[in-house]
Amino acid sequence: MLDERKLAVLRAIVQDYVGTEEPVGSKALVERHNLGVSPATVRNDMSALEEDGYIHQPHTSAGRVPTDKGYRLFVDRLAEVKPLSAPERRAIRQFLDSAVDLDDVVARTVRLLAQLTRQVAVVQYPSLSRSSVRHVELLALAPTKVMLVLITNTGRVEQRIVDSPVPVGETVLADLRARLNARAGGRRFPEVPALLQDLPEAFEPDDRPIVAAVLSTLFESLVERTEERIMLGGTANLTRFGHDFPLTIRPVLEALEEQVVLLRLLGETADRGMTVRIGHEIDHEGLNSTSVVSVGYGSGDESVAKLGVIGPTRMDYPGTMGAVRAVARYVGQILAES
Amino acid sequence: MLDERKLAVLRAIVQDYVGTEEPVGSKALVERHNLGVSPATVRNDMSALEEDGYIHQPHTSAGRVPTDKGYRLFVDRLAEVKPLSAPERRAIRQFLDSAVDLDDVVARTVRLLAQLTRQVAVVQYPSLSRSSVRHVELLALAPTKVMLVLITNTGRVEQRIVDSPVPVGETVLADLRARLNARAGGRRFPEVPALLQDLPEAFEPDDRPIVAAVLSTLFESLVERTEERIMLGGTANLTRFGHDFPLTIRPVLEALEEQVVLLRLLGETADRGMTVRIGHEIDHEGLNSTSVVSVGYGSGDESVAKLGVIGPTRMDYPGTMGAVRAVARYVGQILAES
DNA sequence: TCCTGGCACTCGCCCGCGCAGAGTGCCAGA
DNA sequence: TCTGGCACTCTGCGCGGGCGAGTGCCAGGA
């Protein structure tokens, strides 16, 4: 059905359309790519491709535009991820290296991705559930108020205020702190609740309420909202979306404001390997004219979070995928070092 | 020069233009506001207002549009801040009350502002230099790596990694921790460096390098980049900017991506009272067609940070100012309570 | 069987035209 | 000082025609 040449035609259409943003016709195609056949032949192939739903004609006597299905085929079978150039890689490395803390790493990553791909970049903070406990700190703020500070191996810090039903002595606090760290230190977050469950029993009955309060706050913060945090950048690139963009850009901006949507978007990313979702493959209405390229990143083999970019379906997939992959790799390295 | 009626005409023009987004003519004016005079008279007044630069005619035979100068006069002398309704205030209160930590307070504030004003909202985290030290924590991560965690009275937490030239003993760390808290605890950040300056001398010569390293990191983080953090929301509202907006929206989005620009914008806000900057009064080119309404907020009399909104110069100033002021007040209260 | 050149056809885009409507400025009169 | 009237100016919009890009189809050739 789809012989070599038809695939070549599709590839050429995608490439040209991405470059020019305009429907591409048979004549222009043969001129720009040496397909070795005449426009008439290409026209026949185009007809077949359209029949099969890979390309589409906005109106009679216009050129062809790839459909989502066409891009899908292109990404799956026709495109090679384009690696970054050595200077580019060096620049990335250098830029990320000078980050001073986790916030900075994430912020720089977002900027970098947005600049390299000229699209909207999204970076998820290393997820708590994939991280482990580096340290738990307890501070008495007031007689019945304790601040709980949680530091992860990825450098993330979470704080919470715990209200104690009874005044808390410094000795109890010190004891609790020591025990928490002894039991939970170095452990993965998901394991933590089980490890600490019977902790109150190690304390005097009088002190158990505060121990319980601290524990419940701790457990909460492991699963809650703050679990997943996201940073966004390059929204100005939305303006390069297309001619008709007032219509397109609005729902996209709205979607980007919804952390939930972004989280779901990244959540659907495979842990290993890159995920590309194109147009209507994304099940969020406002994003049906966009594509998302995302990938997990992490310090070891394992991914601790995801990052990616969002752009028009008409995007340079090979280049974007190259940039996303490279950035993910370097961020992983940086995290491993710190 | 500007008698009562001319001012009334200007006020009417601003109100109508904000409502309709279209140049307003003399006839429509008399119809909508009972000015008690004929269109011809209004035309004369308009002529005078134009002469003085308060309004402007896009082209002959079009209605009039206020200039930046016109909006300025409107804000300064013709507009009354419009207080929010009781249900609105209750809703704000309630929405902010359910915040669980500082991040959440800021995030909710941004959402709220954006929703109330239907514009882009900016909220600055409580600034370090206006805050005081609640607690300093030191954690040994590795023999030569110490994590410095700084907790402020506004609930903000900053962390930094300190590389020590020599391995650090737990006793030294405990000693340093105790002394840091004793001397700096409860103090304003700007005072801190002076208070700690001679701290290394209290230690054995062998330990002084690490003390110095911790101190310099601490001092750095008091003045540095992270000093000022900002949260942004409601960018989707940019799409309601105007008809010609591809041109307008681009530079605005770009400006919003630059933390520096936003910080400067908020930085120029007066500590007390509201600041309104209109169009070309803002010395950033991309924002010359926008206005910024900003105000300080804080737990006591004193402002610890700023917040505000950015919208088209053609905005509902009274309403916006009312919302900004109300939100600032409630955020202050929330912060004071936690 | 597949490719090619030729040809007629279809549409969207652009341009110029003319008209209607909104709004103004000015003037003479109350 | 205000008002009604009037002539004038300009934009926006709808209309129609010409242009060009691109197609589909067909007959002939490898």
Side-chain angles (χ1 to χ4, degrees):
Chain A
M1 201 94 185
L2 285 181
D3 55 29
E4 268 313 309
R5 200 187 54 220
K6 289 203 184 62
L7 291 178
V9 168
L10 177 57
R11 178 193 287 121
I13 291 176
V14 171
Q15 287 170 350
D16 275 21
Y17 183 61
V18 165
T20 64
E21 306 197 13
E22 269 167 26
V24 359
S26 54
K27 194 170 150 226
L29 258 199
V30 274
E31 271 169 17
R32 291 240 277 263
H33 307 73
N34 35 3
L35 295 168
V37 291
S38 80
T41 312
V42 171
R43 280 207 285 284
N44 287 330
D45 291 347
M46 282 173 148
S47 239
L49 286 169
E50 180 154 24
E51 184 89 2
D52 293 348
Y54 294 110
I55 57 180
H56 161 248
Q57 205 171 11
H59 52 85
T60 342
S61 96
R64 303 309 217 287
V65 167
T67 60
D68 290 352
K69 187 177 171 193
Y71 285 123
R72 166 56 56 204
L73 185 64
F74 175 80
V75 168
D76 288 347
R77 297 189 38 200
L78 302 175
E80 309 239 310
V81 175
K82 190 164 115 224
L84 297 187
S85 68
E88 277 177 315
R89 288 204 302 268
R90 221 174 306 124
I92 295 181
R93 179 86 224 190
Q94 205 173 339
F95 185 64
L96 289 183
D97 256 341
S98 39
V100 301
D101 62 8
L102 183 70
D103 272 333
D104 202 20
V105 170
V106 175
R108 279 166 183 264
T109 306
V110 161
R111 279 191 99 94
L112 205 54
L113 259 182
Q115 261 172 32
L116 286 171
T117 62
R118 311 205 57 189
Q119 283 160 21
V120 179
V122 191
V123 178
Q124 184 182 17
Y125 276 68
S127 133
L128 283 189
S129 60
R130 310 291 186 87
S131 311
S132 52
V133 180
R134 185 177 262 168
H135 185 85
V136 182
E137 186 58 40
L138 296 173
L139 307 170
L141 299 182
T144 64
K145 259 191 188 169
V146 175
M147 177 175 260
L148 170 69
V149 180
L150 196 61
I151 302 171
T152 76
N153 65 332
T154 46
R156 210 169 131 177
V157 177
E158 289 289 320
Q159 78 263 30
R160 276 289 193 296
I161 307 269
V162 184
D163 279 308
S164 163
V166 293
V168 192
E170 185 53 50
T171 18
V172 178
L173 218 54
D175 190 14
L176 181 53
R177 181 190 302 129
R179 285 176 194 267
L180 281 175
N181 281 297
R183 292 213 199 174
R187 296 316 187 100
R188 292 318 199 79
F189 278 90
E191 313 172 51
V192 168
L195 292 166
L196 297 180
Q197 210 174 358
D198 57 346
L199 197 60
E201 292 156 29
F203 287 80
E204 298 293 322
D206 283 356
D207 299 329
R208 284 179 197 167
I210 172 62
V211 175
V214 167
L215 285 186
S216 79
T217 306
L218 181 60
F219 296 165
E220 254 173 42
S221 65
L222 298 185
V223 293
E224 264 216 2
R225 175 195 69 84
T226 48
E227 222 269 71
E228 311 292 359
R229 237 176 101 187
I230 269 186
M231 193 150 192
L232 199 65
T235 39
N237 290 326
L238 285 176
T239 52
R240 298 186 306 99
F241 236 59
H243 337 278
D244 54 342
F245 79 86
L247 295 161
T248 337
I249 206 181
R250 171 66 162 282
V252 176
L253 268 176
E254 270 164 10
L256 295 181
E257 293 244 323
E258 293 295 329
Q259 298 265 330
V260 195
V261 173
L262 292 180
L263 284 170
R264 211 179 47 202
L265 226 49
L266 290 180
E268 288 163 4
T269 305
D271 262 9
R272 304 200 56 81
M274 219 166 333
T275 304
V276 179
R277 260 150 312 146
I278 299 168
H280 290 81
E281 296 172 10
I282 303 170
D283 71 347
H284 181 95
E285 215 176 321
L287 299 177
N288 279 342
S289 58
T290 66
S291 288
V292 177
V293 176
S294 56
V295 68
Y297 71 89
S299 31
D301 303 338
E302 206 174 1
S303 95
V304 294
K306 319 277 175 71
L307 58 77
V309 307
I310 301 170
T313 48
R314 168 193 27 76
M315 69 161 71
D316 167 21
Y317 290 95
T320 304
M321 291 167 80
V324 169
R325 186 214 266 161
V327 170
R329 188 173 303 153
Y330 286 119
V331 179
Q333 290 180 14
I334 299 285
L335 285 185
E337 288 164 15
S338 62
Chain B
M1 202 94 186
L2 286 181
D3 55 29
E4 269 314 309
R5 199 187 55 220
K6 290 203 183 62
L7 291 179
V9 168
L10 178 57
R11 178 192 288 121
I13 291 177
V14 170
Q15 287 170 350
D16 274 22
Y17 184 61
V18 165
T20 63
E21 307 197 13
E22 270 168 24
V24 3
S26 54
K27 194 169 148 229
L29 258 199
V30 275
E31 271 169 18
R32 291 240 277 263
H33 307 73
N34 37 1
L35 296 167
V37 290
S38 79
T41 312
V42 171
R43 281 207 285 283
N44 287 330
D45 291 347
M46 282 174 147
S47 241
L49 287 168
E50 181 154 24
E51 184 88 1
D52 292 349
Y54 294 109
I55 57 181
H56 161 248
Q57 204 171 11
H59 53 84
T60 341
S61 95
R64 304 308 218 287
V65 168
T67 60
D68 290 351
K69 188 177 170 192
Y71 286 123
R72 167 55 56 201
L73 184 64
F74 176 80
V75 168
D76 288 348
R77 297 188 38 199
L78 303 175
E80 307 241 310
V81 175
K82 189 164 114 223
L84 298 186
S85 68
E88 277 177 315
R89 287 204 303 268
R90 219 174 310 124
I92 294 181
R93 179 84 224 192
Q94 202 174 341
F95 185 65
L96 289 183
D97 255 341
S98 39
V100 301
D101 62 9
L102 183 69
D103 272 331
D104 201 20
V105 170
V106 175
R108 279 165 183 265
T109 306
V110 161
R111 279 191 100 95
L112 205 53
L113 259 183
Q115 261 172 30
L116 285 171
T117 63
R118 312 204 57 186
Q119 283 161 19
V120 179
V122 191
V123 178
Q124 184 182 18
Y125 276 69
S127 134
L128 284 189
S129 61
R130 308 293 186 87
S131 311
S132 52
V133 179
R134 184 177 261 168
H135 186 85
V136 181
E137 186 57 42
L138 296 173
L139 307 170
L141 300 181
T144 64
K145 260 192 187 166
V146 175
M147 177 175 260
L148 171 68
V149 181
L150 195 60
I151 302 170
T152 77
N153 66 331
T154 47
R156 209 170 131 178
V157 177
E158 289 289 320
Q159 78 263 29
R160 278 289 194 298
I161 306 269
V162 183
D163 280 307
S164 164
V166 294
V168 193
E170 185 52 49
T171 19
V172 178
L173 218 53
D175 190 14
L176 181 52
R177 183 189 301 127
R179 284 175 194 269
L180 281 176
N181 281 297
R183 292 214 199 174
R187 296 315 187 101
R188 293 317 201 76
F189 278 90
E191 313 171 52
V192 169
L195 292 166
L196 297 179
Q197 209 176 359
D198 57 347
L199 197 61
E201 291 156 31
F203 287 80
E204 298 294 319
D206 283 355
D207 299 329
R208 285 180 196 165
I210 172 60
V211 175
V214 167
L215 284 186
S216 79
T217 306
L218 182 61
F219 295 167
E220 254 173 41
S221 64
L222 298 184
V223 294
E224 263 215 4
R225 174 194 69 81
T226 49
E227 221 269 70
E228 311 292 0
R229 237 175 101 189
I230 269 184
M231 195 150 191
L232 200 65
T235 39
N237 291 327
L238 284 176
T239 51
R240 298 185 306 99
F241 238 58
H243 338 276
D244 54 343
F245 80 84
L247 295 160
T248 337
I249 206 179
R250 172 68 160 282
V252 177
L253 268 176
E254 271 165 10
L256 295 182
E257 293 244 323
E258 294 294 331
Q259 299 264 332
V260 196
V261 172
L262 291 179
L263 284 170
R264 212 180 45 201
L265 226 47
L266 291 179
E268 287 163 3
T269 306
D271 262 9
R272 302 201 57 82
M274 221 167 330
T275 304
V276 179
R277 260 149 312 145
I278 299 167
H280 290 81
E281 297 171 8
I282 302 170
D283 71 348
H284 180 96
E285 214 175 323
L287 299 177
N288 279 343
S289 58
T290 67
S291 288
V292 176
V293 176
S294 55
V295 69
Y297 70 88
S299 30
D301 303 337
E302 206 172 1
S303 95
V304 295
K306 318 277 176 72
L307 57 76
V309 308
I310 302 171
T313 47
R314 168 192 30 74
M315 68 162 70
D316 167 20
Y317 290 94
T320 305
M321 291 167 80
V324 168
R325 186 215 267 160
V327 170
R329 187 173 305 152
Y330 287 119
V331 179
Q333 289 180 14
I334 300 286
L335 286 184
E337 287 164 15
S338 63

